[in-house]
Amino acid sequence: MSTQISTLLKGRLHHLDPQPYAQLIWPLVQVKRAFQLAYDLLLAIMWDELIKGQSYSNTLTSLGLLLMFGILSLLSYALRDYDQWIVAAFALLWWLDVGLAKQQYFAGQSYQQVAVEADADELEVTIEGIGQTPYREKIRRSQVDHISIERAEVQGGAFKETLTYIWQGRIILRDGAGYLVFEKHSALIALKAANKLAHCLEDIPVIFAHSQGISAQAMEPLSPQAIQRYQQYGASTIYLQRRQQQWHLFSRWNSSSSWRMIKEALQQSGFLLFVVLTTKFMAQTGELLHQMLLPSDSPAVIFLPSLSGFSPRWLDWLEIAIAFGLIVWKGLEISQEEHFYINTKQLTFCINRRQVAQLTTAQISTLLYLQLPKPMLLIADHNQAIEITGLQTEAEFQTLLVKLEQAIRQSQHSEPPKST
């Protein structure tokens, strides 16, 4: 008697092929990386911490940056009459590279097909690329531990910039090995796919990677001591108001958190301003280096660099205005307040006064703090998911997580909030 085989899942795993021009603009990519490295180091010194969690304080790195700065300064001096056009052309090249990479990725031109089939005892995972020999792996059902959902960053183009974030699903075995079986652009769709697959595998757990929470979907459960601490105290930027049957949770910047907002705005949008101002300064440094390195039969006389580069022309002002405007725009975006209104029927999420989403309180089953690749809070019912990324510290995310869980749980059980 033949064993019945059923197909549990079919899908595609998209990827990006290298752009044909990537080798041609490789030197420009390295110049951009050198400026980015210097900018990250500057912010790290300003706030006594590294924005990206990397250490650039060692001597070798510092000497490398100094050498790169000297070379770029000489180059800036040689091209000092065309600096505005060079910056504009560089920005246009970067924009085109990122745009082409996004177009290629979202068009789904390069992908691998994946299928998961099962019989009574085994699973078979098949991955097949275009023009490639299929890869097949058989797994005993008893080896499967859980389904993992992980939020992943997609980078592409010659400059390797972030294009988007996706949700990847993996079958995780008891020995820790994993098999990537689906990718989704929506957290809710990924959760539905994982739940369906888990149900077919005799209701194994679904766990979000790098997550904290109180529900069974959390990889790292919050301890009772942490829950009690965040309920009683928590971050000073998270506020709670209770009115009859409704809970109102919201975030609000205060004087102690203003510096974090400035840091975040500079990290996300300050790079262009840094490049504009640095190139002006490097042209003057390059002039001084040029005098020092230029061979001459006359006695060594070094003239101070001219200050013409520090007398901005209208194009200089335009560059600075655009770069500074990006920082202000990002600061306004970051400073927006998140509001949650929760009662027995629904959870309403607003940014400032604008309603963004509405969930059914009784159906909310997912409430997690995801730490990687970018901190966020995920809330989902059966029909919609909300992703909160506007907070700055782990304490803020965890405080909001605990207070939301308390409000949702009491609303689901129709328990009126206690007055305080």
Side-chain angles (χ1 to χ4, degrees), residues 6 110 125 190 217 229 254 302 379:
S6 59
S110 302
V125 179
Q217 296 172 332
R229 182 172 68 252
N254 54 36
I302 297 177
I379 313 169

Side-chain angles (χ1 to χ4, degrees), residues 30 57 69 83-84 151 192 303:
Q30 305 313 307
S57 59
F69 180 78
D83 57 345
Q84 292 94 350
R151 190 171 186 247
K192 289 182 176 180
F303 297 95

Side-chain angles (χ1 to χ4, degrees), residues 43-79:
L43 288 182
I45 294 172
M46 289 173 61
W47 277 278
D48 196 29
E49 64 178 357
L50 294 173
I51 290 176
K52 294 189 175 181
Q54 302 171 354
S55 175
Y56 303 119
S57 59
N58 60 76
T59 304
L60 183 60
T61 302
S62 301
L63 290 175
L65 285 173
L66 184 61
L67 177 62
M68 180 64 69
F69 180 78
I71 295 172
L72 292 176
S73 295
L74 288 170
L75 186 61
S76 297
Y77 173 66
L79 302 173

